[in-house]
Amino acid sequence: MKANRLFRVSVAVLCVIPWTYAYIVDPGPVVKATKGEIWPKPRNQTTSQHYYRFRPGTFRFQPTNFTCDILNTALVRYQKIVLAIGNKTRRVMFKRQYSSQVANILQSAYGPRSWSSDPNWNGFVEQVDVDLKAPCETLPYLSMDEEYTIVVNDSQALLSSYSIWGILRALESFSQMVVLAEDGSTLRINATTVNDGPRFSHRGLLVDTSRHFVDTPTLVKILDGMAYNKLNVFHWHIVDDHSFPYESRTFPELSQQGAYHPSMVYSQADIAMIIEEATLRGIRVMSEFDTPGHTRSWGVSHPELLTECYDQYRGKLGPMDPTRESTYTFLSQLFREVIEVFPDRYVHLGGDEVGFECWASNPNVLEYMKQNRLYSFEMLEEKFIQRIVDQIDALNRSSLVWQEVYVNGVQLPNGTVVHVWTGNRQDLLAKITRDGLPALLSSCWYLDHLSTGGDWRKFYNCDPHDFVGTGAQKSLVLGGEACMWSEVVNGNNILPRIFPRVSATAEKLWSPANVNNADEAARRLEEQTCRMNHRGIPAQPPNGPGFCI
């Protein structure tokens, strides 16, 4: 009896000891942030211990060659961003005299305050020369030139690129290199050379504004956050089953009757503003009007567009009715308007998650299939999508479609992009590119799939080229997109749900393939998150306990 009791006590002690040790931690942040590191990590960067200082009163960007409205606006924007670093410092330093704890933290984070005799200090930089070597383009586009160089040396700073889009990326990288001086009196930057450019040309973020409406100021904040991470495509999933918030010039009744509320509609002026704000940040705006499924809100004003259900689904409306010529006429008129409103070359046509129950219950649909020798609902969907893709092709635009369209055998025109979102991504990417079609990847970057606050690592460990294929096949992968579906987010929580988790996707799409050390990235992401917080983006903590000054 006593022996059994001792045995039970021994087992209990053995079980408790490892559990107890798991809670022995050191004070301070779990992940110590870097200082002045660039996100996403550049292709090539050399940094010296020597550094320069800026006087906030004299610091300025100076264009030296071509200029334009996009550049001038960017210089004003980044001047404010850089100078705001110094403004925040002065407020912190004022508090410092009242809090020894804050003083200790600052001393630990930024080192000794004496710098005038520091042998690594090489003087002041008075201005940053911005050399745009070619005239400005007016709209960002797929495969635009985003290459840039930064040289900070000999008390001079130079940003240069052959395109305005490269200059925008250079300004962002430069602003990230500028940090607070130890005593808070000036800004500092290390002597640095950067030669950088993106690995993939399409680096996107999908935002769904149908399940929950997201107001335009929040959308502009999202564009800001995208620019801070060098993302360049805002995929606007603007309408869906639940609401139709797009104000159509041709069919105004779609939003008048299909939106949640008259205040929850994007006017033509709103859309033009979002496109302009995106352009100023080097971001394309790509619209998605999903068909033939995800269209229930269209049927509030135009029930004739949708399939009438019978049998157990009687009284319901299903996907678009592919048997009526009037459906295609309507869509032709709408898409003719869409390509005028959204100037990007690409239109996303959706084509995913089409439920066949309603088609299967409708006798007119079944008779149509019989007359046209369509032996499956996949074949019926193929016939519908083929008509829509051909319409877009005839309008001299290119289509993107979700993977179901490809899997169901639609004969896609050359250049139609297949968007992979589910299933075995490696197999799908291999097959799509083997057939000579360009592809985008999203399946491993679903931001609405939340596991923990630090789940950015699962996004970071996904690579678009992680499939068996030739070099030619892999060159057909244009990049990818992180997706923020909005079933459980709205304007109140969408920003912290996106940021900084999307930053992981951004680095995988920008940085070289060999930038794959998540532990090293964690320190830079800690800094990037604080940086976004300072710039007004309520990004959530990425790595657990820590702090931002």
Side-chain angles (χ1 to χ4, degrees):
M1 184 75 174
K2 185 177 180 181
N4 288 339
R5 183 180 177 186
L6 288 172
F7 175 77
R8 289 197 298 271
V9 171
S10 299
V11 171
V13 170
L14 289 172
C15 291
V16 166
I17 287 173
W19 176 82
T20 303
Y21 278 132
Y23 286 89
I24 297 176
V25 299
D26 294 323
V30 170
V31 174
K32 186 177 180 181
T34 55
K35 186 179 179 184
E37 293 289 336
I38 297 173
W39 190 281
K41 193 175 184 69
R43 180 190 298 160
N44 292 299
Q45 179 179 7
T46 58
T47 303
S48 168
Q49 293 299 313
H50 297 289
Y51 65 90
Y52 304 91
R53 288 174 174 257
F54 299 97
R55 296 184 179 94
T58 60
F59 168 79
R60 67 187 184 278
F61 291 106
Q62 180 64 47
T64 63
N65 204 340
F66 291 98
T67 188
C68 62
D69 287 344
I70 296 176
L71 177 58
N72 293 334
T73 304
L75 296 184
V76 172
R77 185 168 68 250
Y78 278 99
Q79 179 104 355
K80 291 178 180 178
I81 285 173
V82 171
L83 293 181
I85 300 171
N87 293 335
K88 288 181 181 293
T89 310
R90 283 187 283 275
R91 289 196 293 271
V92 171
M93 299 305 293
F94 177 78
K95 293 179 181 179
R96 186 177 187 178
Q97 59 185 302
Y98 298 106
S99 170
S100 60
Q101 183 179 8
V102 172
N104 290 335
I105 290 173
L106 286 170
Q107 186 73 10
S108 173
Y110 296 116
R113 295 181 61 185
S114 176
W115 53 269
S116 58
S117 61
D118 187 343
N120 287 323
W121 176 51
N122 280 7
F124 288 92
V125 172
E126 299 296 338
Q127 74 176 32
V128 180
D129 291 331
V130 180
D131 182 18
L132 174 58
K133 297 176 181 293
C136 286
E137 296 169 306
T138 56
L139 282 172
Y141 54 92
L142 180 67
S143 299
M144 60 188 169
D145 180 9
E146 296 173 273
E147 305 271 337
Y148 70 89
T149 62
I150 298 174
V151 178
V152 181
N153 202 11
D154 295 330
S155 294
Q156 295 180 329
L158 174 65
L159 317 183
S160 60
S161 176
Y162 283 93
S163 81
I164 182 59
W165 320 119
I167 289 292
L168 293 178
R169 308 307 174 225
L171 286 164
E172 177 57 39
S173 290
F174 179 85
S175 72
Q176 296 181 8
M177 293 159 56
V178 179
V179 297
L180 310 174
E182 294 81 1
D183 62 355
S185 63
T186 59
L187 307 173
R188 59 168 283 177
I189 188 170
N190 283 63
T192 306
T193 300
V194 177
N195 291 287
D196 197 15
R199 182 184 177 200
F200 292 101
S201 59
H202 187 122
R203 307 180 307 282
L205 170 64
L206 177 150
V207 175
D208 167 17
T209 58
S210 172
R211 277 54 177 259
H212 281 96
F213 182 81
V214 180
D215 62 34
T216 52
T218 302
L219 292 181
V220 173
K221 280 281 190 186
I222 290 172
L223 294 174
D224 278 335
M226 291 177 66
Y228 301 154
N229 290 278
K230 298 187 179 74
L231 293 168
N232 67 354
V233 181
F234 177 65
H235 175 171
W236 197 348
H237 186 91
I238 194 167
V239 300
D240 209 291
D241 281 323
H242 299 86
S243 73
F244 197 102
Y246 168 76
E247 180 191 64
S248 169
R249 300 192 301 247
T250 311
F251 303 107
E253 64 276 10
L254 284 167
S255 60
Q256 289 169 356
Q257 299 180 47
Y260 285 134
H261 186 269
S263 65
M264 297 180 180
V265 173
Y266 300 108
S267 69
Q268 291 286 313
D270 290 334
I271 294 165
M273 182 272 289
I274 292 296
I275 292 172
E276 179 181 9
E277 292 294 332
T279 299
L280 291 172
R281 292 159 177 79
I283 297 171
R284 299 162 49 202
V285 178
M286 181 178 71
S287 65
E288 180 182 355
F289 288 79
D290 202 351
T291 60
H294 292 284
T295 51
R296 183 60 186 86
S297 63
W298 304 45
V300 181
S301 60
H302 286 275
E304 75 282 359
L305 288 174
L306 306 184
T307 305
E308 184 179 357
C309 305
Y310 288 79
D311 302 332
Q312 68 267 41
Y313 307 107
R314 186 175 295 275
K316 301 289 185 181
L317 294 175
M320 286 189 166
D321 189 337
T323 70
R324 297 182 179 182
E325 192 62 28
S326 58
T327 301
Y328 303 104
T329 302
F330 182 97
L331 288 172
S332 176
Q333 291 178 271
L334 180 63
F335 281 121
R336 191 174 295 276
E337 174 190 315
V338 166
I339 68 167
E340 293 174 357
V341 173
F342 294 91
D344 196 75
R345 177 167 184 81
Y346 286 87
V347 180
H348 206 302
L349 300 177
D352 64 312
E353 296 183 317
V354 180
F356 297 144
E357 301 89 347
C358 195
W359 284 350
S361 74
N362 186 297
N364 294 329
V365 171
L366 296 176
E367 180 61 25
Y368 177 87
M369 292 175 67
K370 181 180 178 181
Q371 293 295 327
N372 288 273
R373 298 183 179 182
L374 302 174
Y375 304 115
S376 69
F377 295 110
E378 286 81 5
M379 293 178 68
L380 179 61
E381 182 187 6
E382 175 190 349
K383 188 175 181 65
F384 175 92
I385 293 290
Q386 192 70 64
R387 290 284 300 271
I388 307 307
V389 169
D390 290 346
Q391 284 183 1
I392 298 300
D393 197 45
L395 293 170
N396 197 31
R397 289 290 196 273
S398 298
S399 302
L400 287 92
V401 293
W402 294 109
Q403 66 189 55
E404 288 94 325
V405 175
Y406 167 81
V407 171
N408 290 344
V410 175
Q411 297 301 306
L412 297 170
N414 290 335
T416 302
V417 181
V418 181
H419 199 161
V420 175
W421 72 276
T422 190
N424 188 318
R425 70 174 189 270
Q426 288 94 345
D427 285 352
L428 275 166
L429 289 171
K431 291 175 182 176
I432 293 164
T433 55
R434 192 181 305 128
D435 286 343
L437 291 170
L440 283 180
L441 177 63
S442 281
S443 56
C444 49
W445 295 318
Y446 265 46
L447 300 174
D448 55 312
H449 295 181
L450 181 67
S451 53
T452 69
D455 65 353
W456 64 269
R457 286 174 179 261
K458 71 181 181 183
F459 303 137
Y460 199 79
N461 291 328
C462 175
D463 192 288
H465 282 170
D466 185 21
F467 66 94
V468 178
T470 65
Q473 283 180 260
K474 294 189 177 184
S475 69
L476 286 170
V477 180
L478 305 179
E481 294 182 352
C483 298
M484 186 69 262
W485 301 103
S486 67
E487 284 87 349
V488 294
V489 298
N490 57 19
N492 295 307
N493 68 336
I494 192 170
L495 284 161
R497 188 63 61 87
I498 292 173
F499 302 103
R501 297 159 77 234
V502 76
S503 301
T505 304
E507 180 150 296
K508 300 309 293 185
L509 293 172
W510 177 279
S511 301
N514 62 2
V515 178
N516 55 18
N517 186 329
D519 290 334
E520 185 274 339
R523 295 190 62 222
R524 290 185 294 105
L525 186 57
E526 194 75 19
E527 180 184 13
Q528 173 72 349
T529 301
C530 290
R531 184 183 289 132
M532 289 190 284
N533 289 167
H534 292 159
R535 297 182 184 187
I537 304 295
Q540 68 180 26
N543 298 306
F547 70 98
C548 293
I549 294 179

